[in-house]
Amino acid sequence: MTSQNKKIINKKRIYYFSSKLTEGNKEMRELLGGKGANLAEMTSIGLPVPPGFTITTASCAEYYDAEEKLPTDLMDSVYENMQRLEKETGKYFGSSDNPLLVSVRSGSAVSMPGMMDTVLNLGLNDQSVEKLALITGNERFALDAYRRLINMFGDVVMGIEHHHFETVFDKIKKRYKANRDSELGIKGLRELIESYKQIVKEHTRKKFPQDPYLQLQLAIEAVFRSWNIPRAITYRRINDIHGLLGTAVNVQSMVFGNMGDESGTGVAFTRDPSTGKNEFYGEFLINAQGEDVVAGIRTPLPVKAMKKWRPDIYWQLLKVKKILESHYRDMQDIEFTIEHGKLFMLQTRIGKRTGPAAVKIAVDMVKEKSITQSTALLRVPANDLNQLLLPSFDPKAKRNVLATGLPASPGAASGYPVFTSDEAVSRAENGESVILVRRETSPEDIHGMHAAAGILTSTGGSTSHAAVVARGWGKCCIAGAGELNIDVKRKKIQVNDVTITGKDIISIDGTSGEIILGDVRKCPPNFSKEFKILMKWADKKRKLLIRTNADSPKDAKIARDFGAEGIGLCRTEHMFFGDQRIIAMRQMILADNQQDRRLALKKILPYQRRDFEGIFTVMKGLPVTIRLLDPPLHEFLPQDEKSQRQLARSMKVPAEKIIKRVYQLHEVNPMLGHRGCRLSITYPEILEIQVRAITEAAINCRRKRIDVQPEIMIPLVGIESELSVLRELVENTIARIKQKKKFKGKLDIPIGTMIEIPRAALTADQVATHADFFSFGTNDLTQMTFGYSRDDIGTFIPEYLNERILEKNPFQTIDSTGVGQLVEMAVKKGRTTKPKLKCGICGEHGGDPESIVFFQSVQLNYISCSPFRIPIARLAAAQAVLLAQ
Ligand code: PEP
Ligand code: MG
């Protein structure tokens, strides 16, 4: 246990909340969990919340530290707080006269919808159920509550699988000709309760506990245990949730949505979590208990339908929506219950939303003067902008619509239907795009939902856990498509007279709810006006310039449209690969002397010149950093003998010549071998031809009045003298070409270097003497600092991450403590030589928001990332400034 945990533990373990006394507040989510902290907060701002108390997350940590034993005096404090609750409600726990029932719910600091356990109606037993029937005058209700308790308790606390209860329930319903759960009468329920008790006995060899305090203790332990069940662990891993103490336990007096037709329960969002529209969005069930809506067992009614059922409650809820939004200044996800026409709030939390919704809500709330521009910028997780960049179905494409469900999370996905989560994972691992199709998804499906391109369910509503989780990930989801008949066993979907199997592709449109047969053409994204506004605010705030990694006019155009302010890395290797070029390149590699090599390379010149002209034209007015050839030469020759012989025939050279050359070029560690600037030192003619192509292209553009700003970058420098030699060569070549072309205009081409070898970072003050700029190649720098081959990490990194030996994949998020030190040192040392030295980064980390925060902190001038990550980088760079304030 950390000393910080200890500090928390030594304090209070239980926090009470009621209209008379509220001990917690919304700032205490780390200790009380999100649910507990917000129950306290809602109580203190006067909303109708049933009273209760929260056992702290630190108690959960203690439970695990003591090898899964409750802290010794915890139950004494629980007892004291139950007495307070009894006094306040006038009901008594365990009393058969006026029984107090409680719910026991989990809730950690970061919301994990549906991942952990809940038990409702706790406190009922064979006697109190009869009293409850008498007091409420509603025998059916009391029995229904009791059967739910035995089922939930059996499942969550005693570990009996839910389907045992389900099977018996179905049998009894059939016998009594009840189509729905709510149609089963008193006799049937009594029989069901006896059968449930029997199931408990058979599976655990213990009776269902009649002592309410024993029920309560076991339920608290079960909620603590649920913190570490596999689905909760998987959810935390997928969502990168670390460092929490555990789950809190909320014990709250029960209110009942299943007391008849004047009762109900629902879940709602204060704004539409798919689109962000400022519209009350949610659903409810009449005569049902809390979990029925989220579990997706019955398809609920949209919350607007409440206007007809109980308009007074609908207006009351709208008032609550307003109060909560203006109090929290953010979109809320609420749970409520109506007992005999009286509204109670059971939860509020910041609502999960899609990327497009996050942008719209943030911008709208600034317009509503609820939050500032800076808050809006911090509200949108930069990576979620990815969802705005995803394609949607082309509106002009033909659609063979099979059915329509509830559009639960927007987007467009096509793939093969799969019927279990394990199949989703295994087929996705084989590279197939799959749609997970279920009657309802349960939290057990988390791994399959993550692997699938989209999720489709036949029951449940747009607030079912499937929908909530999908939206959190920005994954396309349709829920409640009731026309689908899903046969999980036979792996088939029947819809009207069409049968779909796992071999047919289907498409799902999470915006319209349409389920379509076949693959539908997709089209590029269309940016909302709110997105453009947010980007403008980001640009105003950020200090880092955003460039892109692009090596073709097409990518350069995409990047420029996304707001790139230059090219930070134009890799030139592909410019040697086209049909004619590769032949010339191979002739160059096979040539025996420099003269022949020059002749071969000259054939590539016009192609490269044209390539550069294309890129310069698209990027006119902006800098374009061109990196000279980097990979080892053997990559340009075929490696197997058959292809080598074929090549020999086509080049009309003896096969042995090629085989011998490949043998000569072979390296045990090519990534540490004859590549980068080492190639230019040994084959200066390659450098010369590239520099010539760049200079001629620039001159041609200038003559067409295109404002070109080329920069030349030398890769893999580790020693100052490598750069000084090559710089001279580049300068001389540029001067020669200018002279040859009789170009008198101004054409300065800065010459810089990549810093991607630790030695270059360590000696950056010397390297800077010959460099006009530095660009950190954090891919190679990570490879060489860790000593991990960047091409072979698949063999051990996943295990390192699972075992938490590494917190993050260092090739995705910069290792700020190790690799980052080298970056920081190189910037500082470089600027001691040249105070205004321009420094950027062009490794993959340039598009990672967390790394961008680091790059801002070491005062780089720019980051360069792939075109599609530019909006993310623009926002992340603004957030980096705000986070540093
Ligand atoms: C790098 O090493 O970070 C880099 C940008 O270059 P490349 O990935 O081409 O080696
Ligand atoms: Mg590199």
Side-chain angles (χ1 to χ4, degrees):
M1 199 191 310
T2 65
S3 57
Q4 192 199 354
N5 294 0
K6 274 209 178 105
K7 233 171 45 207
I8 297 174
I9 286 164
N10 288 336
K11 293 186 189 160
K12 254 168 101 64
R13 285 206 184 93
I14 294 185
Y15 287 71
Y16 191 76
F17 55 86
S18 83
S19 54
K20 296 211 174 81
L21 169 76
T22 300
E23 297 176 325
N25 63 52
K26 72 176 183 343
E27 312 304 332
M28 296 171 73
R29 46 187 312 127
E30 206 189 322
L31 189 63
L32 302 182
K35 188 175 282 168
N38 287 325
L39 281 170
E41 187 78 11
M42 282 200 293
T43 308
S44 61
I45 60 172
L47 292 177
V49 177
F53 55 88
T54 303
I55 305 172
T56 61
T57 55
S59 310
C60 180
E62 271 188 285
Y63 169 80
Y64 280 104
D65 283 343
E67 288 172 6
E68 306 199 7
K69 284 205 183 65
L70 291 183
T72 37
D73 46 1
L74 180 71
M75 283 313 289
D76 295 341
S77 315
V78 167
Y79 185 72
E80 277 167 29
N81 281 280
M82 285 301 291
Q83 283 187 320
R84 269 191 196 175
L85 205 54
E86 287 179 337
K87 235 191 213 158
E88 190 145 354
T89 57
K91 297 178 183 174
Y92 296 92
F93 194 53
S95 149
S96 49
D97 290 336
N98 187 9
L100 167 67
L101 306 189
V102 294
S103 63
V104 175
R105 294 173 198 259
S106 58
S108 66
V110 179
S111 103
M112 298 166 54
M115 291 303 128
M116 292 178 295
D117 287 330
T118 291
V119 187
L120 303 180
N121 307 332
L122 216 112
L124 276 178
N125 58 22
D126 290 352
Q127 274 113 46
S128 58
V129 69
E130 304 302 343
K131 268 287 182 251
L132 186 68
L134 244 142
I135 288 168
T136 57
N138 190 341
E139 187 176 357
R140 195 199 171 276
F141 150 73
L143 294 171
D144 186 54
Y146 195 27
R147 68 97 187 158
R148 285 173 190 264
L149 169 64
I150 307 172
N151 182 344
M152 274 196 179
F153 195 90
D155 177 356
V156 169
V157 181
M158 305 182 100
I160 306 162
E161 284 180 29
H162 178 67
H163 68 87
H164 294 294
F165 296 101
E166 196 70 27
T167 314
V168 170
F169 200 2
D170 284 345
K171 254 194 220 157
I172 293 181
K173 273 196 294 189
K174 218 176 201 172
R175 190 141 18 94
Y176 284 88
K177 298 198 171 49
N179 286 327
R180 295 158 169 247
D181 301 3
S182 55
E183 287 171 14
L184 189 64
I186 289 169
K187 215 165 146 227
L189 280 170
R190 287 201 179 274
E191 201 176 319
L192 185 64
I193 287 166
E194 286 315 309
S195 306
Y196 274 9
K197 285 200 281 190
Q198 203 51 39
I199 292 176
V200 170
K201 211 165 156 199
E202 267 166 28
H203 284 82
T204 62
R205 300 224 176 94
K206 281 184 203 143
K207 278 189 173 170
F208 171 73
Q210 295 289 311
D211 173 359
Y213 272 103
L214 180 60
Q215 289 177 5
L216 184 54
Q217 177 175 340
L218 293 174
I220 292 168
E221 287 178 88
V223 170
F224 280 161
R225 269 200 312 276
S226 72
W227 175 248
N228 271 342
I229 53 177
R231 68 175 188 237
I233 293 173
T234 308
Y235 187 89
R236 290 200 291 275
R237 182 170 47 73
I238 292 173
N239 290 284
D240 214 1
I241 301 171
H242 301 293
L244 301 185
L245 290 171
T247 178
V249 183
N250 298 291
V251 178
Q252 193 175 18
S253 50
M254 285 290 304
V255 283
F256 299 96
N258 54 337
M259 270 203 173
D261 290 343
E262 290 297 293
S263 302
T265 186
V267 177
F269 291 82
T270 54
R271 297 184 189 214
D272 185 330
S274 291
T275 64
K277 257 193 174 165
N278 190 0
E279 260 176 18
F280 199 31
Y281 175 101
E283 44 205 12
F284 74 109
L285 282 169
I286 298 171
N287 196 9
Q289 212 166 29
E291 304 311 297
D292 298 351
V293 183
V294 189
I297 296 165
R298 275 162 62 189
T299 300
L301 299 166
V303 78
K304 280 191 184 134
M306 203 181 265
K307 262 195 254 181
K308 270 199 192 143
W309 176 63
R310 285 288 306 239
D312 55 331
I313 306 251
Y314 181 71
W315 296 118
Q316 210 182 327
L317 259 178
L318 282 189
K319 220 168 114 193
V320 169
K321 158 187 151 80
K322 239 182 157 175
I323 293 173
L324 284 175
E325 273 211 352
S326 66
H327 186 71
Y328 284 91
R329 295 173 189 273
D330 201 351
M331 186 264 260
Q332 297 293 300
D333 165 359
I334 59 176
E335 277 180 34
F336 57 90
T337 281
I338 300 131
E339 182 183 284
H340 280 320
K342 185 168 167 19
L343 175 70
F344 291 96
M345 300 306 299
L346 297 183
Q347 174 165 306
T348 191
R349 62 183 171 198
I350 305 293
K352 288 198 186 298
R353 63 204 78 179
T354 63
V359 172
K360 179 157 174 55
I361 292 170
V363 173
D364 282 354
M365 285 196 159
V366 174
K367 278 194 228 150
E368 293 158 19
K369 300 205 169 23
S370 170
I371 58 174
T372 62
Q373 281 184 16
S374 298
T375 306
L377 286 167
L378 289 168
R379 277 276 167 87
V380 180
N383 269 328
D384 286 3
L385 291 185
N386 240 342
Q387 296 163 31
L388 280 84
L389 311 178
L390 296 176
S392 54
F393 290 130
D394 183 346
K396 288 190 213 112
K398 225 177 122 307
R399 294 179 179 211
N400 183 356
V401 178
L402 295 169
T404 304
L406 299 168
S409 179
S414 303
Y416 296 101
V418 289
F419 299 84
T420 65
S421 284
D422 289 343
E423 190 185 354
V425 171
S426 67
R427 286 182 67 176
E429 274 172 4
N430 282 340
E432 286 179 89
S433 176
V434 295
I435 308 287
L436 180 64
V437 182
R438 311 276 293 160
R439 272 174 48 75
E440 71 212 37
T441 58
S442 84
E444 308 287 343
D445 287 316
I446 204 80
H447 56 306
M449 293 165 75
H450 196 245
I455 300 151
L456 171 59
T457 69
S458 60
T459 63
S462 41
T463 53
S464 62
H465 124 276
V468 172
V469 172
R471 276 195 297 270
W473 290 336
K475 191 155 283 205
C476 173
C477 174
I478 296 178
E483 289 168 78
L484 304 187
N485 213 327
I486 298 167
D487 187 340
V488 174
K489 263 201 193 131
R490 292 190 186 79
K491 300 189 172 186
K492 268 191 209 160
I493 309 170
Q494 191 73 38
V495 44
N496 303 319
D497 49 2
V498 182
T499 307
I500 297 156
T501 70
K503 291 189 183 130
D504 303 307
I505 291 190
I506 56 169
S507 297
I508 57 173
D509 185 334
T511 313
S512 68
E514 286 169 325
I515 300 133
I516 305 154
L517 186 61
D519 201 353
V520 180
R521 197 172 54 242
K522 321 245 178 348
C523 63
N526 194 0
F527 296 121
S528 64
K529 71 173 188 297
E530 287 84 7
F531 170 77
K532 289 176 191 153
I533 293 172
L534 192 79
M535 285 292 106
K536 248 197 212 146
W537 294 343
D539 292 343
K540 247 183 7 200
K541 241 323 146 238
R542 70 183 157 88
K543 295 202 176 106
L544 284 163
L545 290 170
I546 313 293
R547 295 200 193 180
T548 191
N549 294 357
D551 47 24
S552 71
K554 184 170 153 257
D555 283 355
K557 165 93 175 65
I558 296 172
R560 199 167 182 161
D561 290 346
F562 279 146
E565 294 161 309
I567 289 183
L569 173 63
C570 172
R571 292 183 169 99
T572 52
E573 28 276 18
H574 88 102
M575 295 180 183
F576 291 88
F577 271 108
D579 265 1
Q580 295 306 309
R581 309 172 188 205
I582 188 74
I583 296 172
M585 186 65 177
R586 285 168 173 168
Q587 283 168 347
M588 188 289 288
I589 295 171
L590 292 172
D592 297 319
N593 55 56
Q594 199 183 54
Q595 199 187 352
D596 288 352
R597 280 201 293 273
R598 283 188 192 282
L599 274 177
L601 281 167
K602 223 172 155 185
K603 295 183 197 157
I604 301 175
L605 176 70
Y607 294 108
Q608 293 215 348
R609 194 169 49 216
R610 207 175 53 219
D611 291 341
F612 290 130
E613 277 182 42
I615 293 171
F616 291 156
T617 307
V618 172
M619 295 306 287
K620 59 178 173 261
L622 297 175
V624 176
T625 307
I626 296 154
R627 181 182 71 186
L628 302 182
L629 190 67
D630 188 34
L633 292 184
H634 77 85
E635 287 191 11
F636 298 91
L637 290 177
Q639 297 303 301
D640 64 293
E641 198 176 321
K642 194 169 158 220
S643 318
Q644 288 163 357
R645 289 194 181 278
Q646 246 170 18
L647 178 66
R649 277 195 296 278
S650 70
M651 288 184 74
K652 299 194 175 56
V653 293
E656 280 59 42
K657 182 165 183 167
I658 296 182
I659 294 167
K660 188 170 157 214
R661 190 75 181 114
V662 170
Y663 181 74
Q664 281 170 346
L665 290 174
H666 173 76
E667 288 174 318
V668 177
N669 271 327
M671 287 307 273
L672 301 179
H674 194 175
R675 55 173 282 227
C677 64
R678 300 161 203 172
L679 276 177
S680 298
I681 301 267
T682 48
Y683 299 102
E685 52 279 7
I686 303 179
L687 174 146
E688 281 170 28
I689 208 76
Q690 285 202 289
V691 174
R692 180 171 167 191
I694 294 165
T695 315
E696 288 182 358
I699 291 173
N700 291 350
C701 285
R702 280 284 166 89
R703 287 187 168 146
K704 284 190 245 166
R705 303 198 174 285
I706 295 169
D707 176 16
V708 288
Q709 297 185 22
E711 300 179 341
I712 291 177
M713 180 155 77
I714 303 189
L716 222 73
V717 165
I719 314 166
E720 170 196 7
S721 49
E722 286 171 326
L723 190 59
S724 71
V725 168
L726 294 177
R727 181 180 182 107
E728 197 179 332
L729 192 56
V730 172
E731 281 174 339
N732 291 343
T733 310
I734 295 171
R736 205 174 60 241
I737 304 300
K738 277 191 191 166
Q739 203 176 31
K740 203 164 145 207
K741 289 266 170 193
K742 300 196 172 52
F743 184 75
K744 296 273 178 332
K746 197 165 151 28
L747 179 62
D748 289 329
I749 305 184
I751 301 162
T753 181
M754 294 195 66
I755 302 285
E756 50 186 345
I757 288 189
R759 192 182 187 285
L762 293 165
T763 59
D765 46 346
Q766 296 164 19
V767 176
T769 326
H770 317 284
D772 296 327
F773 62 88
F774 280 176
S775 177
F776 289 91
T778 45
N779 305 333
D780 272 312
L781 195 59
T782 300
Q783 165 170 262
M784 291 186 228
T785 307
F786 274 88
Y788 295 165
S789 157
R790 58 195 264 198
D791 298 324
D792 301 308
I793 51 166
T795 50
F796 63 94
I797 291 260
E799 205 161 324
Y800 267 41
L801 293 170
N802 266 344
E803 302 282 325
R804 310 279 299 274
I805 291 172
L806 280 172
E807 283 295 326
K808 300 254 159 105
N809 178 347
F811 288 97
Q812 265 166 20
T813 299
I814 193 87
D815 157 47
S816 52
T817 37
V819 179
Q821 254 191 70
L822 287 171
V823 175
E824 189 172 7
M825 175 199 294
V827 173
K828 280 195 181 134
K829 285 195 158 203
R831 286 183 182 154
T832 54
T833 306
K834 289 186 177 161
K836 293 218 167 114
L837 184 73
K838 186 169 64 178
C839 296
I841 174 261
C842 61
E844 282 309 299
H845 305 87
D848 172 60
E850 198 179 319
S851 308
I852 291 171
V853 173
F854 172 78
F855 297 135
Q856 166 68 52
S857 75
V858 296
Q859 294 178 17
L860 295 192
N861 301 89
Y862 68 87
I863 49 183
S864 188
C865 59
S866 63
F868 280 93
R869 294 201 73 81
I870 285 179
I872 294 169
R874 286 164 72 189
L875 178 56
Q879 291 173 341
V881 172
L882 291 166
L883 289 172
Q885 281 171 356

